[in-house]
Each structure stands twice: as structure tokens, then as C-alpha cells.
Amino acid sequence: RFRFQVYITSTFTSASFCGPVLGGWLVSHAHWRWLFILYLPMSAFAFWRLAKLAPGARHPEQLKTLDMGGIALFAIAASTGLYWLTSGGRHFPWVSAISACLLLASLGFFAWLYRQQRAQSNPFLAIDLLRDPAMSRLMLATALFSAAMFSLIFYLPIYLQLGYRLSASDSGLLLLPLTTGTVIGSIGTGKFA
């Protein structure tokens, strides 16, 4: 387990430092489409490494009882809710038939919650876990951390490029303090936990 934790930590660290800098440099000196072309050899390497792993134990009895309804309800509710929140007011008016349909579809989240509470075996997400105070605090902290981190990662480069008229490579370099803090914080909290 320790060896794989080292692999994960080193990959996370190198991706955090190299990703914004290399991506900014490619966008500034080539074209943004090269970012997708760069993923091809990395994906081939990842698939090759996954193929080298020893096969794990199979549990066919659990695969037969997957909560496909819960999975479908969650996917529909999450994707329509996200599309409604990000596209409302831009691609369609907030008060319109499209907006009402998307809002109703995103309310399928409550149907999903109801289904998860009633699922007999293998629910998509065991709601009982969220009743545990330690787990609910952990989930809240994870949600707040993710919201802060991803909003900074996505918003800050755009702000630097549009607000300060910096190049993509310069904004990638200016993301290094953020990624350095994230890596140090992740490693530090991992050691204290």
C-alpha cells in the first residue's frame, strides 16, 4: 500500500506542477488543440500500466445486483442540474420552458435520494454513511475544498489572461503558488491524519 501511495503522490505532485506550465506553454507557442493530442501518449502509457497490474478478485454476485436505477437517476439529476445552472440566462432565459424542464429533471435528485434510502442491496450510495457525524463532516469539508480548489484552478488563469492580459504560459507559471500550496497541504494533512 505504501508503494502505491508514493506512486499516487508523485503523480499528483508532478501533474500539479507540470500541468499548468506545460499547458500554458503549449497554448502560447502552438495551439490549444495540442493539449488533447498530448493526452494520447499519456493515455496509452496509463492503459499499458493498467494492463500490467495483476487481476483483482471478481465478485459476480455483486455485479448482478447493481443499482442501475440509482445510477441513472443520479446521472440525469447531476447533468441536468449542472447544465441548468451553467447555461441559464445565457443560452436560454431563466423563466422559460427549457429552464423549467431542466429544473424538473434536476429535481430527480430527490427521487434518487428516496431510492437510495429504500435500496435493499448494493445501493449506488449508502445514505446511512452520511448519518455518521464523522462522515458527514468529512463530506462537507471535501465539498468545500473541491469547490474552492476547482473554482481557483478554472477561474484564475482566465482572470490572469483577460484581466491582466498575460499570456497562457505566464498564467500557467503564476498558478505554481496555488499548486504548491495544494501539494504541501495535501501531503501535510496526510501525515497528520
Side-chain angles (χ1 to χ4, degrees):
R1 181 176 175 189
F2 177 74
R3 185 170 50 133
F4 280 95
Q5 282 299 113
V6 170
Y7 291 157
I8 291 169
T9 303
S10 61
T11 303
F12 169 68
T13 304
S14 61
S16 296
F17 289 124
C18 298
V21 176
L22 183 60
W25 185 84
L26 273 174
V27 170
S28 291
H29 294 85
H31 198 271
W32 63 266
R33 289 186 179 98
W34 278 95
L35 294 174
F36 297 103
I37 295 170
L38 185 66
Y39 284 130
L40 293 175
M42 291 192 301
S43 300
F45 177 74
F47 281 122
W48 174 72
R49 288 301 300 151
L50 284 173
K52 293 284 189 183
L53 290 175
R58 298 196 181 273
H59 303 286
E61 67 279 355
Q62 288 183 348
L63 293 176
K64 291 177 184 172
T65 59
L66 279 177
D67 183 19
M68 295 307 287
I71 293 170
L73 276 173
F74 180 78
I76 291 168
S79 58
T80 55
L82 187 62
Y83 181 71
W84 178 67
L85 287 172
T86 57
S87 298
R90 288 187 320 147
H91 297 298
F92 52 83
W94 284 107
V95 180
S96 66
I98 295 173
S99 181
C101 290
L102 287 170
L103 178 61
L104 286 175
S106 66
L107 291 178
F109 178 75
F110 295 107
W112 172 76
L113 279 177
Y114 179 79
R115 181 178 175 86
Q116 294 307 296
Q117 290 174 343
R118 306 285 182 282
Q120 299 299 320
S121 63
N122 267 352
F124 176 61
L125 174 68
I127 300 297
D128 294 339
L129 286 175
L130 299 177
R131 291 191 181 105
D132 180 15
M135 186 62 79
S136 60
R137 285 188 212 115
L138 175 69
M139 296 302 288
L140 178 64
T142 302
L144 293 174
F145 166 75
S146 299
M149 183 182 78
F150 288 116
S151 63
L152 281 173
I153 286 173
F154 294 132
Y155 172 73
L156 194 57
I158 295 170
Y159 175 72
L160 291 171
Q161 290 176 47
L162 297 179
Y164 286 99
R165 304 281 185 223
L166 297 176
S167 67
S169 58
D170 288 340
S171 69
L173 285 171
L174 287 172
L175 275 181
L176 284 178
L178 173 68
T179 56
T180 304
T182 304
V183 169
I184 291 171
S186 298
I187 292 171
T189 54
K191 289 192 182 295
F192 287 120

